[in-house]
Amino acid sequence: MKQITPAHIAQLADAAQASPRRRANLNMHAELADPIQRLAIAMEPDTLVRPHRHPHTWELLYPLAGRFVVLHFDEAGYVIERCVLGAEAAVLETPAGVWHAVLSLDQGGVIFEVKHGPYQPIAEADFAAWGPADGEELVPALLAWYAKAQVGDRFEP
């Protein structure tokens, strides 16, 4: 029996807080080649989930601890949908090919993700050109924008 216990969630959150990337994950799938990827991801509010898309799969998110802003964007980078997962919704699915980003609103936030495998790193073409990459100067401004962005808004640094 595979389980994610409250102790696992706490350990994962501690690992994210100690990580330079401010994230940590616990895979429930046995290997990266599994046809369905299932994992818990601890994210601190200052970790960047760069706007991206998964052309080959939907993505299902469920909060295990904390709240998360999930934004969907059109091709030009305008917010077309916004949800606070863990407050406004208990489960959220992003369709294949939709540009999206996630922001943890709470320290110790842990989200559960399910999507089709096998694992595929995100190709550069599947990161939004308008979204800064890890370590770039605009990352703090983007994260602050994620927290307040509403439908119809666009990131304008």
Side-chain angles (χ1 to χ4, degrees):
M1 177 184 303
K2 294 182 182 180
Q3 299 179 36
I4 297 177
T5 66
H8 289 122
I9 292 169
Q11 291 167 354
L12 199 55
D14 289 346
Q17 290 168 0
S19 166
R21 195 163 175 231
R22 310 289 280 160
R23 266 192 265 183
N25 66 286
L26 173 64
N27 293 350
M28 292 195 80
H29 51 279
E31 56 188 57
L32 297 179
D34 277 3
I36 302 294
Q37 306 287 292
R38 305 165 317 278
L39 61 154
I41 306 166
M43 296 184 217
E44 287 300 295
D46 58 349
T47 191
L48 172 66
V49 176
R50 191 173 169 193
H52 65 285
R53 63 183 173 189
H54 305 284
H56 66 289
T57 182
W58 45 261
E59 180 178 86
L60 186 80
L61 300 175
Y62 173 82
L64 299 175
R67 299 164 301 138
F68 301 84
V69 171
V70 180
L71 300 171
H72 287 179
F73 307 98
D74 67 11
E75 290 288 331
Y78 288 92
V79 176
I80 56 172
E81 293 181 291
R82 178 187 197 275
C83 181
V84 179
L85 190 56
E88 301 169 358
V91 177
L92 183 145
E93 184 175 289
T94 296
V98 172
W99 294 100
H100 62 283
V102 179
L103 173 72
S104 175
L105 292 175
D106 303 308
Q107 289 187 338
V110 180
I111 199 164
F112 192 75
E113 176 182 294
V114 180
K115 64 185 173 191
H116 286 281
Y119 170 76
Q120 296 178 15
I122 299 170
E124 192 58 38
D126 293 318
F127 284 113
W130 54 267
D134 269 326
E136 290 185 8
E137 185 178 308
L138 290 175
V139 169
L142 179 66
L143 295 177
W145 179 78
Y146 281 175
K148 63 180 177 61
Q150 298 296 315
V151 171
D153 291 350
R154 185 173 190 274
F155 180 62
E156 303 286 348

